Amino acid sequence: MGIDVDLLHKIKGVIECPSPDKDIRRFDANMRLFPPFLDNDVFPLTIKNTLLQSCYLRNTEWACGVAVYTGNQTKLGMCRGIPEPKLTAVDAMIDKLTGAIFVFQIVVVIVLGIAGNVWKDTEGRKLWYVRYPKEGPWYELLVIPLRFELLCSIMIPISIKVSLDLVKSLYAKFIDWDDQMVDPETGIRSNATNTAISEDLGQVEYILTDKTGTLTENKMIFKRCCISGRFYGNENGDALTDAQLLNAVSTGSADVIQFLKVMAICNTVIPVRSKSGTISYKALSQDEEALVCAAARLRMVFENKNGNILDINFNASPIRYEVLDTLEFTSDRKRMSVVVRDCQSGEIFLLSKGADETILPLTYSGQQVRTFAEAVEQYAQMGLRTLCLAWRKLEEDEYNEWASMFKEANSTLVDREWRVAEVCQRLEHDFEILGVAAIEDRLQDGVPETIETLRKAGINFWMLTGDKMNTAIQIALSCNFVSPEPKGQLLIIDGKTEDEVCRSLERVLLTTRITESEPKDVAFVVDGWALEIALKHYRKPFTELAILSRTAICCRVTPSQKAQLVELLKLCDYRTLAIGDGGNDVRMIQQADIGVGISGREGLQAARAADYSIGKFRFLKRLILVHGRYSYNRTAFLSQYSFYKSLLICFIQIFSSFISGVSGTSLFNSVSLMAYNVFYTSVPVLVSVLDKDLSERTVMQHPQILFYCQAGRLLNPSTFAGWFGRSLFHAIVVFVITIHSYAFEKSEMEEVAMVALSGCIWLQAFVVALETNSFTILQHLAIWGNLVGFYVINWIVSAIPATGMYTIMFRLCKQPSYWITMILIVATGMGPVLALKYLRYTYRSSKINILQQAERLGGPILSLGIIEPQSRSSLDKDLAPLSITQPKNRTSVYEPLLSESPSATRRSIGPAQRFDFFQSQPPLASTHTRKDN
Amino acid sequence: MSSDDVSSLPSKKVSRKPIYSRFTQQELPACKPILTPALVIGILICLAIIFIPIGLLALSASENVVEVVDRYDDACIPSTNQKVGFIKDPATNKTCIRSLTVPKKMRKPIYVYYQLDNFYQNHRRYVKSRSDRQLWSPKSESSTNLCDPEGQTGDGKPIVPCGLIAWSLFNDTYALSKNDAALQINKKDIAWRSDRTHKFGPNVYPKNFQNGPLIGGGKLDENIPLSQQEDLMVWMRTAALPTFRKLYGKIETDLEANERITVTIQNNYNTYSFNGKKKLVISTATWIGGKNDFIGRMYMAIGGTSLVLAVIFSLLYVFKPRPLGDPSYLSWNKNPQ
């Protein structure tokens, strides 16, 4: 407005703004400045006048502004939301089991309490030596139940919480320590901020990922081009080093030079010359930067921009242009143009670049556009972003006439954007297409492999991006997100009004339902606008679609929409993981069950808000398949084992109450009971944090095995029932053997108690040993050292005269019958368990067992199912559009595994159809596969 | 990413501790046993090989124990309906004479036990009703708070030894004779040595014991310190089971087969009110203890079962082989036919 900087602080005025909200696309405010600066006019302020929190100023050193919202009231602050404390599925399951045990405990207490009172009245009063009072106090009936409540209180292991916290923090440490998850470029380590949710990593069902900066490196590079029908860069994957193109440049092929000119001029890039003389480019759009840089490498150097004057240097001969008008890029027009005048010849040109669908139809009649369309098609198949470059020579009159219209349109107040677009259209026609430029938004290393592996592991991917639909689809194609045409199918939901969206949604839903019976990779694509309508008015069909479809691409979505989608999936009882790198992903990261932040180019905002921060997307594979899976397996064992050991000792107490007149006598003394949970049984199981059922290599080769974690196969009521039964069986074994071998003259209370306790400890050691898959030195130390430790502790206690256990352990250790009893207890307790485990292991082996066997025996399995390395370079070299298609026979990957799934109970909506489909499917799948291949 | 890449980063080198790195990378060398048929069948056969001989040894040891059990509670009471009245009446003559035959030669030491059935020494009210401090130290005479309802006399004096256990002391006595010659029962050293030296005090004498209105079991000589009251010590080692034997004394001579032994029993102890049984047991002992077939039988059973299982598993292995780790069992490797 032309106000001197010094006077800025004297401006007085009022900004009328709405109260804080989270819509980052709208800011409808007015500004009124007081005289003397300006008249008391109202200036409309829109989102275009605002700088959002955590935005970066580029190409501008400074800007003056007024802080309208601050702190958590900023648009982004409102979007952020409050993070809820996160509870893992495993924790929820443990809580459920604890509840079940609590109910069981109450039942036991009530039953034994009644039995105790009955026994007391029928038998107990006859025992003169017990001296029951004739008339007890009023609470006498409660005494025995309360005694049993005390006895049974150890049924719920308190130590489980402590043990879990300990091992969880170790899981987190393992993530921090992992050398294979260190970003080699920056040296940034992975970090687990939230130490409590590692198990959830192994149970992820949906991954919602940001695109730019997460999947891609956020670096655009010009890769290929097609100029007047000739393809450059196809042989070696890089047009800049293509000898033919270099040759064409040096010989001065007119088409090529014109193409380069458009690349260099048709943009809003500002060249900055550093002191050393090198030129760097500042651009709003990374695409433009890539084009200008590429042009510079091809000797068309954009040197300077001074106002409207552009200086270009081609082959050391300077060319100067004057920019007359810039026809800006809008997402509707999908193209941008500049009108320039050649300062030497005075000729006026219109130079344009844009998406193929908006440029190709505007050619002059007669030009063949087929090659260009093919080029676009081919490049898109390779996941490259394409831009068509075109130009037209303008006559002076034509331009002048148009320029006045353009000025007028630019100053309209109502519907300006629409008017401008309309005027632009009047100029943009009869193009001569120069060629197609293909730009790669480079995927991060290992992204396609990571996504493929995780998809094989049964994880569904959703891409949520603020980017355009086409770009999103292209990236999705190139990183194995969706399969290209014959196998994959993209269904687009769009529309501006409710009706359109509704129709579109229903059509997509119908198609999805139909194609569900085919081995097709169906993905739906939705943009932010349609998504908002769908979420608001058609939540139910959209939810159904979300469940049916394994893949989705949501483009042009806002941070809060990202969070809403996470919420939607969470409501369907899916475990979600959100991964992103920027401030706009924070909300989604906090909302999801697991938030992963990439500490990338867009700062650390996401990484700070996240539960885990990693340096590169590809570490996600290791995070989930290695750390998540191991954590889940270990916690599953540890928690159930904790219940097992508590139940074991509690069952023995209950049994012993039957031989003590149901009076609630504790067989074990309080020292033993306390030490049982704290010392004797907690140490061996803690080293299960080192247990690995399968090697990392095997898991990476067979990611499908993650299914066992996802479906919660290792910790659920039925596995728990197994442990419950085992503890009951072991309690019977210990109790029966103890009271029979220590009968009659040996049935001294302290001795019997100690024999039973030693029996438990011996069984514990062997149970842990049997359930351990890999013994490191630490495991041996913990398991067998703990057994020795048990004796050492008891010898020490037995040496103190004041304790009730005085000399007990020494006496027992001298008796041969004690040791014989121990061996008998172990053999009787473990024999059936071993036999059952062997039978299941050999004749009803789970997939984990098969892989274990193969791994240890070195079977042929390792050569099968290895994921073919599909690096970017091979993709670049391979021109065939099918280069991204998956290796054969992948279609049947998921069905049989899922068809055995008991997890159906866990899902609230839609699982039935899903699993039915898989069960009925295999024959169908085969026919289709053959056709498709 | 190779480890070389990583170590070349300067920031990494500092944080890398070579000693722990195998631990932090979860790459400690590990032994990963799997349940192969050979391993499991081997374990089962080993079990059988170890268990059957031990079982035989234990059985033969138990077989070598010579045991004479005589239940006398029914026989030593007049067959009236007033059993409880009879036993409670201090005036009645409760002497009872039993005659036993030694089945096999018994070598010394021969143990004399009394066995009680259906007697709940492990009852919660009973087992707690004692004061170990009082038993050991004369200073703690008055710490009787656990001993209710037998802690203090009516006028508030502490009872030593207090509590229901001591109060219900077993008081039947046995006198053995062989061919009209008395057979000496040695009642020395029948209690645990630790009890004599560390649990029952040499300066603690019984006081106010069995002086209340209710008489429980036996009385104690107030002039003998607790550390020499071995019957009390044996009794106060409470049994964990409702059927138990307690050592009464030892016979230090051998007994020949078919010798007749006459036992003169003072049948004082009341088990009639709760249908308890009283038995006199004369037994020898071996390395396994008294007569107990349970361990031997269990060992035989486990050994036998292991053998059977080993055979079954071997047959299964031969006739229904299932290759371990066959990738064709992985559903995702099954190719569409």
Side-chain angles (χ1 to χ4, degrees):
Chain A
M1 283 177 252
I3 298 171
D4 199 356
V5 181
D6 296 341
L7 294 173
L8 262 177
H9 70 277
K10 291 184 179 161
I11 291 179
K12 283 199 171 59
V14 172
I15 293 177
E16 296 162 350
C17 65
S19 45
D21 60 27
K22 55 187 175 184
D23 191 348
I24 59 166
R25 292 170 306 182
R26 192 167 297 135
F27 176 69
D28 301 321
N30 291 318
M31 181 173 72
R32 206 187 294 270
L33 291 184
F34 297 144
F37 288 93
L38 292 150
D39 299 335
N40 203 358
D41 266 354
V42 174
F43 292 90
L45 297 176
T46 68
I47 196 69
K48 283 188 176 167
N49 304 101
T50 50
L51 283 174
L52 294 175
Q53 187 201 2
S54 78
C55 285
Y56 292 88
L57 279 186
R58 299 188 76 168
N59 308 338
T60 307
E61 277 167 37
W62 52 268
C64 290
V66 176
V68 179
Y69 304 122
T70 55
N72 284 334
Q73 291 190 329
T74 57
K75 297 260 180 202
L76 261 100
M78 297 293 286
C79 274
R80 196 166 294 146
I82 306 148
E84 297 166 25
K86 292 179 180 176
L87 185 73
T88 64
V90 171
D91 284 336
M93 179 57 77
I94 291 173
D95 287 353
K96 221 189 263 173
L97 294 176
T98 311
I101 290 292
F102 180 72
V103 172
F104 175 71
Q105 176 188 329
I106 297 294
V107 170
V108 166
V109 166
I110 291 173
V111 168
L112 287 182
I114 292 170
N117 276 319
V118 169
W119 194 90
K120 184 186 82 180
D121 288 330
T122 55
E123 297 289 322
R125 293 199 188 279
K126 293 186 200 158
L127 308 179
W128 56 268
Y129 52 89
V130 174
R131 297 254 295 260
Y132 267 117
K134 283 246 156 38
E135 281 300 318
W138 60 269
Y139 54 81
E140 208 197 342
L141 273 180
L142 289 178
V143 171
I144 289 176
L146 287 176
R147 286 279 159 189
F148 279 110
E149 175 59 41
L150 274 178
L151 274 191
C152 292
S153 63
I154 50 166
M155 202 182 265
I156 294 167
I158 307 297
S159 61
I160 195 176
K161 288 282 169 204
V162 183
S163 308
L164 278 181
D165 278 356
L166 270 173
V167 295
K168 279 179 174 188
S169 55
L170 201 57
Y171 300 155
K173 277 284 169 228
F174 279 138
I175 293 171
D176 294 354
W177 285 330
D178 196 332
D179 279 346
Q180 291 185 51
M181 298 208 301
V182 181
D183 190 342
E185 285 163 32
T186 55
I188 295 176
R189 286 183 162 271
S190 304
N191 179 32
T193 322
N194 189 340
T195 59
I197 60 169
S198 299
E199 300 91 349
D200 254 9
L201 281 174
Q203 296 200 284
V204 168
E205 289 161 306
Y206 274 85
I207 293 180
L208 298 102
T209 169
D210 179 38
K211 184 184 74 68
T212 317
T214 307
L215 298 175
T216 65
E217 289 194 331
N218 213 357
K219 278 185 215 161
M220 309 288 176
I221 296 165
F222 174 77
K223 277 290 177 188
R224 296 172 195 231
C225 59
C226 167
I227 304 171
S228 50
R230 294 195 62 170
F231 288 84
Y232 297 102
N234 274 0
E235 281 81 31
N236 55 3
D238 187 359
L240 297 180
T241 56
D242 190 317
Q244 282 185 320
L245 182 59
L246 294 176
N247 198 30
V249 172
S250 49
T251 53
S253 153
D255 282 339
V256 173
I257 290 170
Q258 195 60 40
F259 186 82
L260 292 180
K261 268 186 196 164
V262 178
M263 271 168 75
I265 297 171
C266 178
N267 52 46
T268 54
V269 174
I270 298 158
V272 179
R273 191 180 281 271
S274 70
K275 277 172 195 146
S276 57
T278 53
I279 298 168
S280 59
Y281 298 103
K282 300 257 179 182
L284 272 173
S285 142
Q286 301 241 14
D287 291 325
E288 293 187 343
E289 189 181 335
L291 286 179
V292 176
C293 286
R297 296 245 336 248
L298 294 170
R299 302 192 214 161
M300 181 71 76
V301 186
F302 177 24
E303 285 195 318
N304 193 17
K305 181 171 191 174
N306 192 354
N308 285 337
I309 308 298
L310 307 177
D311 286 317
I312 289 167
N313 191 322
F314 179 66
N315 267 348
S317 56
I319 313 168
R320 176 167 287 195
Y321 283 102
E322 184 192 356
V323 177
L324 301 175
D325 280 303
T326 305
L327 288 65
E328 279 179 12
F329 177 89
T330 66
S331 48
D332 287 334
R333 282 166 23 87
K334 289 181 184 164
R335 59 175 180 259
M336 72 89 66
S337 308
V338 287
V339 183
V340 292
R341 187 199 297 276
D342 187 329
C343 291
Q344 275 169 316
S345 60
E347 288 173 316
I348 299 173
F349 301 102
L350 172 72
L351 310 179
S352 276
K353 69 173 199 298
D356 53 302
E357 71 263 31
T358 58
I359 296 279
L360 293 184
L362 301 176
T363 52
Y364 66 89
S365 51
Q367 190 181 14
Q368 284 296 334
V369 295
R370 229 188 62 213
T371 36
F372 297 115
E374 277 168 9
V376 167
E377 175 76 5
Q378 202 183 82
Y379 292 145
Q381 289 277 11
M382 285 182 275
L384 301 173
R385 300 152 70 92
T386 53
L387 283 171
C388 291
L389 308 191
W391 78 309
R392 178 159 81 94
K393 191 163 177 286
L394 297 178
E395 298 305 322
E396 189 83 35
D397 299 344
E398 184 190 3
Y399 169 70
N400 286 341
E401 187 187 329
W402 176 83
S404 58
M405 278 159 54
F406 186 60
K407 240 178 223 126
E408 187 195 337
N410 256 329
S411 51
T412 45
L413 285 174
V414 189
D415 279 342
R416 186 195 296 169
E417 196 176 304
W418 180 81
R419 284 287 303 277
V420 170
E422 195 220 31
V423 173
C424 288
Q425 212 160 358
R426 293 193 192 177
L427 200 65
E428 293 168 329
H429 56 83
D430 288 337
F431 280 133
E432 182 188 341
I433 307 290
L434 290 164
V436 179
I439 298 165
E440 183 184 63
D441 180 5
R442 269 204 17 176
L443 288 180
Q444 286 185 14
D445 280 344
V447 166
E449 293 91 323
T450 305
I451 292 183
E452 198 199 325
T453 309
L454 291 177
R455 273 167 60 90
K456 268 171 87 179
I459 298 174
N460 304 331
F461 268 90
W462 283 31
M463 183 198 277
L464 314 180
T465 173
D467 243 323
K468 309 190 282 276
M469 189 178 281
N470 275 10
T471 325
I473 291 173
Q474 276 175 8
I475 292 293
L477 281 168
S478 66
C479 57
N480 285 335
F481 219 87
V482 286
S483 314
E485 254 310 320
K487 252 188 74 192
Q489 190 178 0
L490 284 177
L491 306 166
I492 295 172
I493 303 170
D494 53 7
K496 293 279 172 219
T497 65
E498 276 184 37
D499 278 353
E500 281 170 31
V501 172
C502 178
R503 271 199 301 276
S504 177
L505 183 60
E506 251 152 36
R507 204 169 49 237
V508 169
L509 194 54
L510 204 67
T511 325
T512 316
R513 281 198 199 119
I514 293 165
T515 50
E516 225 201 339
S517 53
E518 294 170 32
K520 249 188 167 178
D521 228 1
V522 178
F524 70 88
V525 185
V526 65
D527 69 354
W529 188 256
L531 182 67
E532 186 161 323
I533 294 171
L535 283 178
K536 206 184 236 165
H537 302 286
Y538 307 104
R539 211 180 164 88
K540 230 181 138 192
F542 186 75
T543 312
E544 194 191 337
L545 181 65
I547 291 165
L548 285 176
S549 169
R550 289 181 41 94
T551 314
I553 300 167
C554 307
C555 14
R556 293 242 169 264
V557 289
T558 63
S560 56
Q561 278 179 324
K562 288 183 180 186
Q564 276 175 25
L565 286 171
V566 172
E567 186 69 49
L568 183 84
L569 287 174
K570 273 175 80 179
L571 283 178
C572 303
D573 211 18
Y574 287 111
R575 292 271 123 186
T576 53
L577 180 147
I579 178 165
D581 72 323
N584 56 346
D585 304 316
V586 168
R587 182 101 193 260
M588 148 174 105
I589 283 172
Q590 287 176 336
Q591 185 75 50
D593 292 309
I594 306 157
V596 178
I598 291 190
S599 20
R601 300 172 129 219
E602 286 192 41
L604 290 170
Q605 263 201 323
R608 289 225 180 87
D611 302 308
Y612 298 93
S613 65
I614 53 180
K616 287 269 181 283
F617 183 80
R618 65 170 185 273
F619 298 149
L620 193 63
K621 183 165 77 171
R622 199 174 156 76
L623 192 68
I624 290 175
L625 288 179
V626 174
H627 291 288
R629 191 172 168 279
Y630 284 152
S631 301
Y632 172 78
N633 289 358
R634 291 161 182 176
T635 298
F637 170 62
L638 187 136
S639 51
Q640 296 185 100
Y641 174 85
S642 297
F643 281 113
Y644 156 78
K645 62 156 193 191
S646 302
L647 282 170
L648 172 61
I649 196 107
C650 201
F651 277 133
I652 292 178
Q653 294 273 52
I654 291 171
F655 294 150
S656 78
S657 81
F658 290 123
I659 57 160
S660 64
V662 209
S663 59
T665 316
S666 171
L667 177 64
F668 305 103
N669 58 45
S670 53
V671 179
S672 299
L673 279 180
M674 187 210 61
Y676 178 81
N677 267 329
V678 179
F679 300 115
Y680 306 151
T681 55
S682 57
V683 178
V685 74
L686 279 184
V687 287
S688 70
V689 288
L690 294 172
D691 191 37
K692 296 165 116 179
D693 56 343
L694 295 170
S695 73
E696 291 164 20
R697 220 173 88 97
T698 314
V699 177
M700 289 296 190
Q701 281 164 353
H702 302 276
Q704 293 90 338
I705 208 73
L706 185 75
F707 171 75
Y708 279 84
C709 302
Q710 277 180 335
R713 281 262 191 110
L714 303 180
L715 172 62
N716 56 43
S718 66
T719 60
F720 182 74
W723 280 98
F724 187 90
R726 185 184 292 195
S727 67
L728 187 61
F729 169 65
H730 281 172
I732 292 173
V733 166
V734 170
F735 183 73
V736 169
I737 291 181
T738 304
I739 64 167
H740 280 95
S741 56
Y742 273 71
F744 298 129
E745 75 278 5
K746 287 197 246 172
S747 74
E748 200 275 325
M749 192 98 173
E750 298 279 354
E751 274 190 8
V752 169
M754 190 47 71
V755 171
L757 186 67
S758 327
C760 293
I761 306 293
W762 277 77
L763 275 180
Q764 309 281 323
F766 281 89
V767 166
V768 176
L770 188 71
E771 297 297 326
T772 300
N773 297 296
S774 66
F775 288 94
T776 67
I777 184 78
L778 289 176
Q779 257 120 347
H780 283 300
L781 265 180
I783 294 173
W784 311 120
N786 182 68
L787 200 54
V788 175
F790 167 74
Y791 282 99
V792 171
I793 292 177
N794 277 296
W795 284 329
I796 292 172
V797 177
S798 295
I800 304 168
T803 60
M805 271 164 59
Y806 182 53
T807 70
I808 297 286
M809 204 60 187
F810 297 112
R811 289 175 61 89
L812 285 177
C813 288
K814 274 187 253 164
Q815 299 168 1
S817 55
Y818 171 74
W819 297 107
I820 284 189
T821 307
M822 286 305 110
I823 295 169
L824 184 60
I825 288 176
V826 170
T828 318
M830 296 313 293
V833 177
L834 179 77
L836 270 181
K837 182 163 175 168
Y838 167 74
L839 284 178
R840 286 186 63 175
Y841 197 83
T842 316
Y843 298 99
R844 283 270 182 281
S845 33
S846 71
K847 308 291 174 286
I848 296 178
N849 298 148
I850 293 171
L851 287 178
Q852 278 174 337
Q853 292 157 359
E855 188 180 275
R856 317 278 151 83
L857 300 175
I861 196 156
L862 295 178
S863 59
L864 269 174
I866 294 174
I867 305 149
E868 288 88 330
Q870 221 186 344
S871 66
R872 291 296 300 159
S873 58
S874 74
L875 212 149
D876 282 344
K877 273 179 218 140
D878 201 342
L879 239 187
L882 276 169
S883 67
I884 312 163
T885 36
Q886 316 299 305
K888 292 82 214 156
N889 298 335
R890 286 279 164 73
T891 35
S892 56
V893 158
Y894 302 101
E895 318 114 24
L897 187 61
L898 284 178
S899 66
E900 301 166 2
S901 157
S903 70
T905 49
R906 220 163 76 68
R907 288 153 202 272
S908 52
I909 315 177
Q913 305 95 309
R914 195 165 154 182
F915 290 113
D916 285 347
F917 142 53
F918 280 124
Q919 271 156 1
S920 62
Q921 209 226 334
L924 246 168
S926 58
T927 54
H928 275 276
T929 317
R930 251 191 256 126
K931 247 185 265 165
D932 291 342
N933 290 335
Chain B
M1 179 172 58
S2 76
S3 57
D4 294 353
D5 291 339
V6 175
S7 56
S8 65
L9 290 160
S11 66
K12 277 284 302 92
K13 268 181 185 161
V14 187
S15 63
R16 192 153 203 182
K17 292 174 190 154
I19 305 165
Y20 297 111
S21 65
R22 301 203 79 171
F23 171 72
T24 57
Q25 300 308 306
Q26 307 190 56
E27 274 166 4
L28 285 170
C31 149
K32 300 176 170 181
I34 56 165
L35 298 175
T36 56
L39 181 73
V40 173
I41 293 170
I43 289 177
L44 290 173
I45 289 173
C46 281
L47 267 185
I49 289 174
I50 296 168
F51 269 57
I52 293 175
I54 294 183
L56 287 174
L57 273 180
L59 271 183
S60 78
S62 173
E63 201 60 36
N64 286 335
V65 173
V66 185
E67 194 182 66
V68 183
V69 183
D70 178 50
R71 180 179 173 190
Y72 64 87
D73 56 295
D74 276 353
C76 290
I77 200 147
S79 50
T80 60
N81 291 332
Q82 297 299 316
K83 286 179 185 170
V84 178
F86 172 84
I87 204 85
K88 276 185 173 173
D89 186 351
T92 50
N93 177 16
K94 303 198 182 73
T95 309
C96 168
I97 294 175
R98 306 280 298 163
S99 169
L100 312 172
T101 311
V102 177
K104 266 157 73 181
K105 182 177 164 67
M106 296 173 92
R107 293 188 189 283
K108 65 180 181 183
I110 299 164
Y111 298 94
V112 180
Y113 300 100
Y114 54 89
Q115 176 175 337
L116 294 181
D117 279 11
N118 203 21
F119 191 100
Y120 288 89
Q121 268 206 312
N122 54 12
H123 195 280
R124 196 195 77 250
R125 278 176 63 87
Y126 184 82
V127 80
K128 299 252 182 233
S129 184
R130 63 189 286 165
S131 167
D132 282 341
R133 290 173 64 199
Q134 189 203 43
L135 292 174
W136 174 242
S137 157
K139 285 176 215 150
S140 309
E141 196 180 271
S142 55
S143 62
T144 59
N145 48 335
L146 288 172
C147 290
D148 264 1
E150 201 57 32
Q152 296 175 331
T153 55
D155 48 358
K157 286 186 197 143
I159 299 172
V160 182
C162 71
L164 289 174
I165 307 179
W167 174 74
S168 61
L169 175 65
F170 186 75
N171 59 352
D172 284 6
T173 59
Y174 312 117
L176 272 60
S177 62
K178 187 173 76 176
N179 306 331
D180 292 336
L183 200 57
Q184 191 61 44
I185 298 180
N186 182 3
K187 294 190 60 100
K188 203 100 185 101
D189 295 347
I190 55 170
W192 294 10
R193 209 166 66 91
S194 59
D195 282 353
R196 277 178 273 140
T197 55
H198 285 98
K199 287 259 174 200
F200 291 78
N203 305 320
V204 185
Y205 293 89
K207 258 186 212 167
N208 307 321
F209 189 67
Q210 301 286 29
N211 282 351
L214 264 175
I215 305 294
K219 301 198 171 176
L220 293 173
D221 186 340
E222 302 216 340
N223 298 317
I224 301 176
L226 289 187
S227 63
Q228 290 171 32
Q229 307 263 14
E230 296 205 32
D231 278 329
L232 178 72
M233 291 180 211
V234 171
W235 181 251
M236 288 191 75
R237 277 275 156 203
T238 47
L241 305 174
T243 301
F244 57 88
R245 287 174 187 176
K246 286 187 181 290
L247 192 55
Y248 182 78
K250 286 181 270 187
I251 302 171
E252 304 285 5
T253 53
D254 289 356
L255 295 176
E256 299 300 325
N258 297 322
E259 272 186 318
R260 292 190 69 82
I261 294 172
T262 312
V263 190
T264 311
I265 299 169
Q266 290 299 321
N267 184 19
N268 298 323
Y269 203 67
N270 175 15
T271 54
Y272 301 97
S273 53
F274 52 86
N275 298 323
K277 294 174 200 152
K278 290 196 280 191
K279 286 173 189 167
L280 172 68
V281 180
I282 300 172
S283 168
T284 59
T286 59
W287 60 272
I288 203 172
K291 195 168 191 67
N292 190 344
D293 287 348
F294 176 78
I295 288 184
R297 286 194 188 137
M298 274 305 280
Y299 264 80
M300 297 293 289
I302 297 289
T305 315
S306 302
L307 205 59
V308 171
L309 276 181
V311 170
I312 293 174
F313 287 174
S314 306
L315 290 177
L316 266 180
Y317 179 64
V318 172
F319 290 110
K320 204 185 157 205
R322 191 176 154 111
L324 288 182
D326 188 337
S328 61
Y329 293 128
L330 291 176
S331 48
W332 59 81
N333 274 344
K334 283 179 193 151
N335 294 330
Q337 298 304 308

